[in-house]
Amino acid sequence: MHTREIVEALIFSAQGSLPEKDILKAVPGAGPDDIERYVTELNRMYEESGRSFRIERASSGYQYVTREEYAPYLKALHTPVRLSMASLEVLAVIAYKGPCPKQAIDSIRGVDSTSSLKSLLKHQLIDIKNGKPLLYYTTSRFLEVFGLDSLSELPDLRQFEEVFREEAGNPAGEEG
Amino acid sequence: MHTREIVEALIFSAQGSLPEKDILKAVPGAGPDDIERYVTELNRMYEESGRSFRIERASSGYQYVTREEYAPYLKALHTPVRLSMASLEVLAVIAYKGPCPKQAIDSIRGVDSTSSLKSLLKHQLIDIKNGKPLLYYTTSRFLEVFGLDSLSELPDLRQFEEVFREEAGNPAGEEG
Amino acid sequence: MLPAEAERPAPEFILRLPEFEGPLDLLLYLIEKNRFTLENLEVCPVIDQYLHYVEQARSLDVSLAGEFLEMASYLIWLKSCLLLPSAESGEGGEDFNPARELKEMLIAYRAIRQASLDLSARPLLMRDKFPRGSSQQERDVASLSIGALLQAVNAIRARTRKYVMDVIANRFDIQGMIERIEAILLNRRRVALNDVVKTEERMELVGAFVAALELSKRCIVRLVQRGLFSTIYLMRR
């Protein structure tokens, strides 16, 4: 196993751009120049063997990108985005409680929900009823994404106690 | 530009396992056998050039994964999945018997499975079908994580039962 | 990674009892320790050892899950069946074997345990191999599960340690409230806000108020309040 391939595996598996310092931490003994050299070597190998991807140096670190000529084919590909936990929380509140104002969502969650609301609006999972304050509610797209016919199909939360009931003395549950 | 490399780019840019049908849609004219052949060719090229990753079949599709020997270097970068024995048992019951209610899981294991269910839900390895009682089933994420193409790939449960029944001739078991 | 049977300390070890996933796990351990198989299983010594373990655990104040005690009483019953002279042998034409149910239970459990070990032995994503990281372009939202949504509810609850459910149970339906108010105002010129709600619940009152504001905005009603904290009336326009 060559350090170069460890660097490759690190960048390959990273979420988004991998900061150089994280690479240096993971492969002790290598310096920034080594990393850069490895990446150059890898990219040359990819190019020579006709690979459809390469490693790009971004301001924040290294990341894989597919070569531009493949973009037309990738556009056809449905690459779904996974919602963040925060967005899911906001969505859950709106689904069960909506239409409701942002203030109600924030107070139930105990944190500010601005960016999640933005992201959910962008994905058209929620919409806004005009008024003061603005009211948020879930859209038909929401039902589609969750495979529901209507909001009434959401399970009764009390029924869910069987899974989520708090165990005495072990509120965090098992970290399995 | 070769179709093989288009397939490569598609799988490469997908999040999670890319369903075979999506690949077929993106590269008209190619059949499942072609895709499989391309993947085999790509994997051979990766192996010969010492790449740290390969394509594997999972959840009725294809996904990129790093080779196992790199895991020690990558662990620091990721939050590894750690399933308890109890969670694994619950997962096995659901994989083999699911969709099934909690009561069925508890009765096979002889113990309450609440905390394991919680943990498995958190890891999105199982999900819930609404109903009374709620039914648990394994997700496509489960197939991805365990590198299974479908649940039918799991070894026959009776096979395990038989082994146990046949142990009569070998009282010491695998000990010693 | 997983505790092998052989590595577990014997249950006689007084200071610290080995831990078992459950009563069936303990029974299998005892069977293996006695070098029995399910085919040549002698149930009585295993039952005795099981009861001994439970007794020890209780004397050491180890909190045992209720299932262990349940199993203990089942085993005591089973043993009594085995020890009593089988006066009615041949009952129903079948050879009466009270241990069979236990055996079947153990076989089913053991098979599942084997299956779980088998699963765990597979190269596991995020443990033995890692997926390709995220791609840069943002696209559609992946289809989601109800489980994920309820997971989120649980996350909120765990964090805030309040009754999310209370609030949820009280969700108010603005549209329904608007319709109710409109229906009332078909026959009357005015109605007090407090008379619109059916219960004393604060959330419903809030809902009625929001509905009233909405109707006012749509120029369907006029809101009238003579002074601070006095009754709010909805007047048909």
Side-chain angles (χ1 to χ4, degrees):
Chain A
M1 208 164 10
H2 194 285
T3 311
R4 185 181 65 202
E5 272 65 38
I6 297 174
V7 171
E8 178 186 47
L10 285 164
I11 304 172
F12 182 87
S13 66
Q15 290 291 328
S17 169
L18 182 63
E20 188 181 75
K21 63 172 170 35
D22 289 356
I23 305 177
L24 293 171
K25 223 184 294 164
V27 283
D33 290 354
D34 298 317
I35 309 298
E36 191 156 356
R37 182 164 45 83
Y38 292 145
V39 168
T40 308
E41 286 172 18
L42 288 165
N43 274 337
R44 195 169 50 230
M45 288 164 71
Y46 298 153
E47 179 147 15
E48 280 168 9
S49 67
R51 303 277 49 79
S52 57
F53 47 77
R54 63 188 156 80
I55 301 171
E56 197 176 66
R57 204 196 153 104
S59 56
S60 51
Y62 294 95
Q63 68 184 21
Y64 271 94
V65 292
T66 47
R67 308 188 79 90
E68 283 111 32
E69 58 264 42
Y70 294 93
Y73 299 94
L74 301 182
K75 266 186 200 144
L77 183 70
H78 188 76
T79 324
V81 174
R82 286 180 182 163
L83 288 183
S84 68
M85 195 59 203
S87 294
L88 268 170
E89 285 185 17
V90 173
L91 203 53
V93 174
I94 300 175
Y96 276 100
K97 200 192 173 266
C100 59
K102 174 173 181 299
Q103 194 272 326
I105 303 164
D106 288 352
S107 100
I108 285 178
R109 294 186 58 229
V111 285
D112 182 76
S113 307
T114 308
S115 67
S116 295
L117 285 170
K118 257 186 222 169
S119 149
L120 293 170
L121 280 166
K122 197 183 87 189
H123 291 302
Q124 304 183 324
L125 293 168
I126 59 169
D127 205 350
I128 299 174
K129 264 195 174 65
N130 263 330
K132 280 190 180 183
L134 298 172
L135 297 179
Y136 295 88
Y137 64 96
T138 52
T139 60
S140 57
R141 175 82 187 121
F142 164 83
L143 296 175
E144 216 172 274
V145 164
F146 282 86
L148 296 165
D149 282 332
S150 79
L151 279 182
S152 63
E153 263 180 43
L154 283 174
D156 186 342
L157 283 179
R158 269 162 307 188
Q159 199 189 341
F160 214 65
E161 286 292 280
E162 95 178 20
V163 186
F164 288 137
R165 70 157 188 254
E166 304 273 341
E167 291 112 340
N170 183 20
E174 172 203 31
E175 289 298 310
Chain B
M1 205 165 12
H2 192 286
T3 312
R4 184 181 66 203
E5 273 65 39
I6 297 176
V7 171
E8 178 186 47
L10 286 165
I11 305 173
F12 193 85
S13 62
Q15 223 178 350
S17 173
L18 180 63
E20 187 181 76
K21 62 172 169 40
D22 290 359
I23 304 177
L24 293 171
K25 223 183 296 163
V27 283
D33 289 354
D34 298 317
I35 310 297
E36 192 170 343
R37 182 164 44 81
Y38 292 146
V39 167
T40 309
E41 285 172 18
L42 287 166
N43 274 336
R44 194 167 52 229
M45 287 164 70
Y46 297 154
E47 180 148 12
E48 280 168 9
S49 68
R51 302 278 52 77
S52 56
F53 46 77
R54 64 187 153 80
I55 301 171
E56 73 174 14
R57 224 190 132 83
S59 190
S60 310
Y62 294 95
Q63 66 184 5
Y64 269 97
V65 292
T66 55
R67 305 187 79 87
E68 281 137 49
E69 58 264 42
Y70 293 92
Y73 300 93
L74 303 180
K75 275 184 175 146
L77 207 60
H78 302 273
T79 325
V81 169
R82 218 174 280 120
L83 293 175
S84 67
M85 189 65 208
S87 293
L88 272 167
E89 281 184 14
V90 173
L91 197 55
V93 177
I94 300 174
Y96 279 97
K97 313 268 181 189
C100 60
K102 175 173 181 294
Q103 193 272 326
I105 305 163
D106 289 351
S107 116
I108 284 189
R109 297 186 58 234
V111 286
D112 181 78
S113 305
T114 306
S115 64
S116 295
L117 286 172
K118 251 191 229 181
S119 155
L120 293 169
L121 277 166
K122 196 179 99 189
H123 285 109
Q124 305 186 336
L125 294 170
I126 60 168
D127 202 0
I128 295 171
K129 265 195 174 64
N130 196 15
K132 282 189 180 181
L134 297 171
L135 297 178
Y136 295 88
Y137 64 97
T138 50
T139 59
S140 59
R141 175 81 184 141
F142 164 79
L143 297 175
E144 277 174 32
V145 167
F146 285 87
L148 292 161
D149 199 32
S150 77
L151 283 179
S152 62
E153 241 182 64
L154 286 173
D156 194 343
L157 197 58
R158 268 167 307 185
Q159 189 189 310
F160 293 130
E161 292 174 3
E162 286 315 309
V163 170
F164 201 23
R165 285 179 212 275
E166 280 165 17
E167 262 174 21
N170 177 24
E174 56 278 292
E175 250 178 275
Chain C
M1 172 195 157
L2 299 160
E5 307 303 297
E7 287 167 14
R8 285 177 178 167
E12 284 80 52
F13 192 68
I14 288 299
L15 293 178
R16 193 170 167 274
L17 289 169
E19 283 176 17
F20 295 95
E21 295 293 339
L24 293 172
D25 187 27
L26 171 54
L27 279 171
L28 282 181
Y29 168 79
L30 294 174
I31 289 167
E32 278 155 30
K33 187 173 146 286
N34 284 292
R35 311 215 155 188
F36 290 138
T37 68
L38 281 193
E39 288 302 309
N40 67 5
L41 178 60
E42 289 173 45
V43 179
C44 288
V46 170
I47 291 179
D48 288 342
Q49 287 169 30
Y50 181 96
L51 297 175
H52 179 62
Y53 174 92
V54 169
E55 203 46 53
Q56 259 191 318
R58 298 178 83 176
S59 70
L60 286 174
D61 258 353
V62 176
S63 68
L64 274 186
E67 292 94 347
F68 283 89
L69 304 178
E70 239 174 81
M71 178 61 80
S73 59
Y74 171 73
L75 291 175
I76 290 169
W77 170 81
L78 191 65
K79 195 178 165 188
S80 70
C81 285
L82 290 168
L83 294 182
L84 286 172
S86 48
E88 290 158 50
S89 70
E91 178 197 353
E94 302 279 318
D95 48 332
F96 179 58
N97 185 352
R100 179 170 296 147
E101 191 186 46
L102 179 67
K103 278 191 191 181
E104 286 305 319
M105 218 150 65
L106 286 168
I107 287 177
Y109 173 65
R110 162 93 190 239
I112 279 297
R113 199 174 64 175
Q114 192 54 50
S116 68
L117 290 173
D118 210 60
L119 273 181
S120 169
R122 300 181 69 90
L124 217 64
L125 204 64
M126 303 309 284
R127 184 186 75 187
D128 307 307
K129 56 194 185 184
F130 294 86
R132 160 95 179 90
S134 65
S135 59
Q136 289 304 301
Q137 330 105 302
E138 283 218 337
R139 296 242 158 113
D140 262 354
V141 180
S143 27
L144 281 157
S145 59
I146 294 176
L149 202 65
L150 295 167
Q151 195 65 37
V153 172
N154 190 46
I156 298 172
R157 198 184 294 181
R159 192 178 53 240
T160 60
R161 303 217 169 279
K162 278 185 215 152
Y163 272 112
V164 174
M165 259 181 50
D166 267 3
V167 183
I168 285 156
N170 290 332
R171 70 196 256 212
F172 51 83
D173 173 6
I174 306 274
Q175 189 52 43
M177 194 61 84
I178 286 175
E179 283 161 17
R180 194 194 297 170
I181 295 171
E182 283 178 324
I184 292 172
L185 291 181
L186 275 181
N187 310 318
R188 299 162 60 178
R189 264 198 63 77
R190 64 166 205 182
V191 62
L193 185 66
N194 299 46
D195 295 336
V196 168
V197 298
K198 287 178 177 159
T199 62
E200 292 291 293
E201 277 174 32
R202 192 186 166 83
M203 288 309 283
E204 205 196 0
L205 193 61
V206 173
F209 185 61
V210 175
L213 291 177
E214 177 66 20
L215 285 167
S216 160
K217 201 190 88 199
R218 294 187 199 164
C219 298
I220 295 168
V221 302
R222 183 181 291 127
L223 299 179
V224 179
Q225 186 180 31
R226 301 235 174 265
L228 262 185
F229 306 115
S230 67
T231 308
I232 298 172
Y233 287 99
L234 285 70
M235 317 277 290
R236 192 175 74 208
R237 289 176 79 130

